[in-house]
Amino acid sequence: MFKKKSSLITWIILGTLLLIFMSLEIAGHLIAGKSSNQGKSHFVENNTDQVGWGETSLKNKDLRRRIANLSPRELCIVIDTANNTLNLKKEEQIIRKCVISCGSGNILNEPGGGRKWIFDTPKGEFFVKSKIKDPYWIKPDWAFIEEGKIAPKDAKDRGEANFLGEYALGFGDRYFIHGTLYTRLLGRNVTHGCVRVGDEDLRELYMATTIGTKIFIF
Amino acid sequence: MLLRLISFFALLAVPANILGYCSALNDPERILLESEFTLAKKPGLYFIFNLKDKKISLKARGILLREWEIRKVRYWGNPVAVKPIALIDKMVLLPPKRERIKPGESDKEEKYEVKALELDDMPSSYTLSLTGGIFLSLRPEAKGWISIFPLALNTLRWRTLLPLKTVWFFVRKKPFTSIEIVLKIKRESQAFYWAFTEGTECIIF
């Protein structure tokens, strides 16, 4: 008798829960259906029979022209950090394709200190800020910390020649497009944020670009 | 003739901005271009989800940087206004983890073993939360018999979870839109996850 009663109660509870669930489902479908029908569809067809279409078409043309005018007419650099490629472009034409290395995305925490570095290549729009021949690397603190060493206070103890290749193009907040000794790692995400390029490609980039050349990184 | 004259004077009486608004409603391309112009004027990257032509474009200053082909798309909920919206958050079951460098243990780069966050580490199925209660779910096109189970789960989610979420947002008086986008291959989906970062603006058309 007791077993029958508890079984019945269980079925009633399950039935009630199912009813609530189905009600919510139906309510959800109804609300979603009503929202979709409130005057706009997700795809609004371009009805060209409307009054003023000729004028609208001219306005569209004008808008397209204004957008096109925003794009750089000169050379620009487009960096794909996911595929580690760099394209030197002029409008739609690719002048040169390069295999590069971008940021590793790794994190370095300063032992016993509060500083933290995330080695990403920044994404967005930049421009060439500086052009340097035979760059000399002044190692930042993280380079010593990463090796488990203490960073020297004197700048002359931080220098390393021939590490960044023959040229460097500065952009953003102390980031550079520069050369590398580790050419076998080109195509991989191995840097501390800078963009490493092979010698020949770097020379071409240095010769072709000027201060102000746009750099787009994604 | 009289009817035409009356119509003409009636049209003159209507404020120009209303006429412009009416023609804009019938010209979604103009709305898209106007929205794109506001984004292209600013420095930085932006995305255009052209669901009609089935492609996603990554642009900056009006120039096309990369494009993704959309295989399938389906949507649920409130219509989406054609205006710039931003990515708030990426939601994924197992987010990619960054390596933590142990000081003093880094190899010399001659015998370097690459330990980095790369494209292959990115998830291929994920949901993006945008402003305005818009959720974009992206996944690669499923192929083969092995995809039956995740596809079934996805269909179940679409049919059961979304109505519940709709009610939840309705009770909170907030809009809710869910758009599912299927990309061509896994790598495309991973590349999109990589490229679309929090705060980046986009337009859904």
Side-chain angles (χ1 to χ4, degrees):
Chain A
M1 181 73 177
F2 177 74
K3 274 186 185 173
K4 275 186 184 172
K5 207 175 177 181
S6 63
S7 172
L8 182 67
I9 290 168
T10 309
W11 279 113
I12 290 170
I13 292 168
L14 281 171
T16 310
L17 285 171
L18 187 66
L19 196 66
I20 293 167
F21 177 76
M22 292 306 296
S23 306
L24 287 170
E25 285 290 307
I26 292 165
H29 277 279
L30 285 171
I31 294 164
K34 192 182 168 192
S35 305
S36 293
N37 291 334
Q38 270 174 357
K40 295 176 192 171
S41 66
H42 287 88
F43 292 151
V44 179
E45 292 300 326
N46 190 1
N47 188 343
T48 56
D49 292 332
Q50 292 298 314
V51 169
W53 178 77
E55 187 194 324
T56 310
S57 173
L58 278 169
K59 282 195 172 146
N60 288 357
K61 208 173 168 181
D62 177 56
L63 277 166
R64 271 188 233 107
R65 184 185 53 78
R66 287 162 82 185
I67 291 168
N69 284 345
L70 293 168
S71 54
R73 291 273 180 264
E74 307 302 320
L75 284 172
C76 69
I77 293 171
V78 178
I79 295 173
D80 180 350
T81 58
N83 292 304
N84 290 297
T85 56
L86 182 154
N87 288 342
L88 183 63
K89 288 180 85 168
K90 183 164 184 177
E91 292 181 358
E92 292 304 314
Q93 195 193 355
I94 297 173
I95 308 293
R96 193 174 184 96
K97 280 188 183 187
C98 314
V99 177
I100 59 174
S101 285
C102 296
S104 64
N106 292 342
I107 299 174
L108 175 67
N109 286 101
E110 184 181 23
R115 288 185 295 175
K116 176 181 167 181
W117 293 271
I118 301 174
F119 298 127
D120 281 336
T121 298
K123 293 188 177 94
E125 180 184 325
F126 306 90
F127 60 92
V128 174
K129 275 173 134 173
S130 58
K131 289 178 70 175
I132 307 162
K133 197 172 181 314
D134 297 322
Y136 190 77
W137 190 33
I138 307 290
K139 286 171 74 169
D141 288 353
W142 56 255
F144 294 96
I145 291 167
E146 191 181 30
E147 291 170 12
K149 296 173 185 169
I150 298 167
K153 294 216 187 308
D154 207 338
K156 65 177 195 279
D157 295 328
R158 290 170 173 257
E160 219 164 299
N162 306 318
F163 199 78
L164 302 179
E166 228 183 310
Y167 306 99
L169 302 171
F171 70 93
D173 183 17
R174 291 171 293 174
Y175 289 96
F176 290 91
I177 297 171
H178 61 73
T180 180
L181 300 171
Y182 311 110
T183 51
R184 73 173 183 90
L185 294 174
L186 287 171
R188 304 296 301 270
N189 295 80
V190 293
T191 78
H192 297 87
C194 286
V195 177
R196 294 183 196 170
V197 189
D199 292 340
E200 211 178 296
D201 289 331
L202 183 63
R203 193 175 305 116
E204 291 297 321
L205 284 173
Y206 183 86
M207 296 305 173
T209 56
T210 57
I211 303 289
T213 297
K214 289 270 190 209
I215 303 172
F216 299 102
I217 306 177
F218 63 92
Chain B
M1 182 65 183
L2 184 64
L3 198 60
R4 280 184 189 177
L5 271 171
I6 293 167
S7 309
F8 175 73
F9 284 112
L11 277 171
L12 283 178
V14 176
N17 57 348
I18 288 179
L19 276 176
Y21 178 71
C22 289
S23 63
L25 275 182
N26 294 319
D27 188 7
E29 195 198 349
R30 182 170 145 204
I31 305 169
L32 172 64
L33 289 168
E34 281 171 357
S35 298
E36 188 185 346
F37 184 61
T38 56
L39 290 180
K41 278 191 295 185
K42 293 191 264 189
L45 313 174
Y46 61 91
F47 287 82
I48 296 180
F49 292 82
N50 192 333
L51 304 183
K52 199 175 167 197
D53 294 338
K54 297 229 172 106
K55 56 183 179 183
I56 306 171
S57 306
L58 168 58
K59 292 177 133 181
R61 299 285 186 187
I63 58 170
L64 181 66
L65 301 178
R66 207 207 192 280
E67 211 163 60
W68 286 263
E69 186 194 325
I70 297 174
R71 300 296 259 195
K72 287 175 210 167
V73 63
R74 59 178 173 176
Y75 40 79
W76 173 282
N78 296 90
V80 177
V82 182
K83 60 171 188 176
I85 46 180
L87 174 64
I88 301 170
D89 194 21
K90 296 182 191 179
M91 296 176 292
V92 62
L93 200 61
L94 296 165
K97 277 204 161 101
R98 293 176 184 273
E99 280 281 331
R100 289 196 173 265
I101 298 170
K102 290 174 190 158
E105 286 185 22
S106 58
D107 295 333
K108 289 227 174 271
E109 293 208 43
E110 287 88 17
K111 0 171 210 169
Y112 198 79
E113 187 200 323
V114 177
K115 290 177 195 170
L117 203 59
E118 296 192 281
L119 187 57
D120 289 334
D121 301 317
M122 297 297 111
S124 56
S125 297
Y126 46 88
T127 300
L128 307 172
S129 170
L130 306 172
T131 51
I134 299 165
F135 294 86
L136 287 178
S137 298
L138 282 98
R139 61 177 177 87
E141 194 170 25
K143 283 177 180 166
W145 63 269
I146 208 162
S147 62
I148 292 172
F149 183 65
L151 267 178
L153 265 180
N154 193 49
T155 306
L156 193 69
R157 179 192 74 86
W158 191 263
R159 298 279 178 217
T160 56
L161 206 62
L162 287 186
L164 295 176
K165 273 181 132 174
T166 306
V167 172
W168 174 244
F169 278 83
F170 181 78
V171 162
R172 289 164 68 201
K173 292 180 185 166
K174 289 185 176 179
F176 173 70
T177 307
S178 182
I179 302 173
E180 185 184 63
I181 293 173
V182 177
L183 297 176
K184 204 172 165 185
I185 52 173
K186 183 181 172 184
R187 205 161 172 82
E188 292 279 285
S189 191
Q190 288 172 313
F192 186 78
Y193 184 93
W194 180 285
F196 200 10
T197 53
E198 284 87 340
T200 307
E201 289 187 283
C202 67
I203 303 165
I204 299 176
F205 175 66

